[in-house]
Amino acid sequence: MQDNTLHGHLGAIAVVTLWGTTFVSSKVLLNAGLMPADIFVIRFLMAYLCMLIISHRRLWSDSIADELTLAGLGIMGGSLYFLTENMALIYSTTANVSILVSTTPLLTAILLAIFYKSERMSRRQAAGSLLAFVGVVLVVLNGQLVLHLNPLGDALALSASLTWALYSLLMRRIMGHYSADFITRKVFFYGILTIIPYFIFVTPMNIDTALYSSPKVIGNLLYLGLAASTGGYLLWNWVMKCLGAIKSTNYIYFQTLVTMVAGALILNERITWMALAGAVVLIAGMLRALRK
């Protein structure tokens, strides 16, 4: 049991490190001409095909209720989450969106406390989580002292945070009944299925063959589809089984720190004293939140 817990913490660190670097690939693809929905459906389709090879013996769950829960996971952790987050970036600033999406662990803790008494955080854990969030804010601001509010964009960013919190809540309900590979495959399936109306009623998918033949585009799509989606979601769902929803979701705070470092190393983005102070506060809060 202790080995599983240790492996769960290591797995969580691996996933948030992976997800914290995906913004670079997404930025390259957006600059190449792909839309957020295009990127989402391609990466999820690749991930689904991979998971179908890994997990193909069982196609359906035991009941309609469980199947609806799995469909909810595909919507909350897939189509709706990615659409709200990327649409928020259109209307609001990156700093606003990053901060508001980082409220996910706090919203998750509130929802789980309402529905599951066993998942309630202690005062020490709650204080650590709030401290980590303060660190996230300092890292994201990175010397910028003024936030420009946009009601629509900020509401979409909060919606993205809420969808992932609901993903954790639904996962808490079902993760003890099915294997991580089965759940992950179903998440990808329902994520793809529920994004189709967007292409029908909002905007069609970009099918420019010349665009998709670019080595740069192919490489980044493979990274997002195979590493970030297939590996990331599969490992994350297993981590939630090992650590529980609260501890797992708290690791999302670290994603901001990884993004800051990746931006400095790859995109030559500036890191200020405020961001460094935020990193220290974030780590201190995380250590407090993860303690028993």
Side-chain angles (χ1 to χ4, degrees), residues 117-198:
K117 291 183 179 179
S118 61
E119 290 279 5
R120 289 178 179 174
M121 288 194 295
S122 65
R123 290 183 179 179
R124 176 182 290 174
Q125 289 176 319
S129 186
L130 287 171
L131 188 63
F133 178 69
V134 172
V136 167
V137 173
L138 293 174
V139 169
V140 171
L141 288 177
N142 198 15
Q144 175 187 325
L145 298 177
V146 180
L147 285 175
H148 301 282
L149 300 181
N150 183 291
L152 178 58
D154 295 343
L156 285 167
L158 276 175
S159 298
S161 178
L162 181 60
T163 58
W164 194 263
L166 289 170
Y167 176 87
S168 300
L169 184 65
L170 292 172
M171 183 63 72
R172 172 66 174 76
R173 178 192 179 278
I174 206 168
M175 63 185 180
H177 303 288
Y178 303 96
S179 63
D181 56 343
F182 174 76
I183 294 173
T184 305
R185 194 196 77 221
K186 299 295 279 188
V187 168
F188 294 143
F189 173 75
Y190 284 114
I192 296 167
L193 192 65
T194 54
I195 198 69
I196 293 175
Y198 179 86

Side-chain angles (χ1 to χ4, degrees), residues 18-19 22 43 47 221-234:
L18 182 64
W19 285 349
T22 55
R43 64 184 286 186
L221 284 174
L222 286 173
Y223 176 71
L224 291 175
L226 302 182
S229 294
T230 307
Y233 273 76
L234 182 59

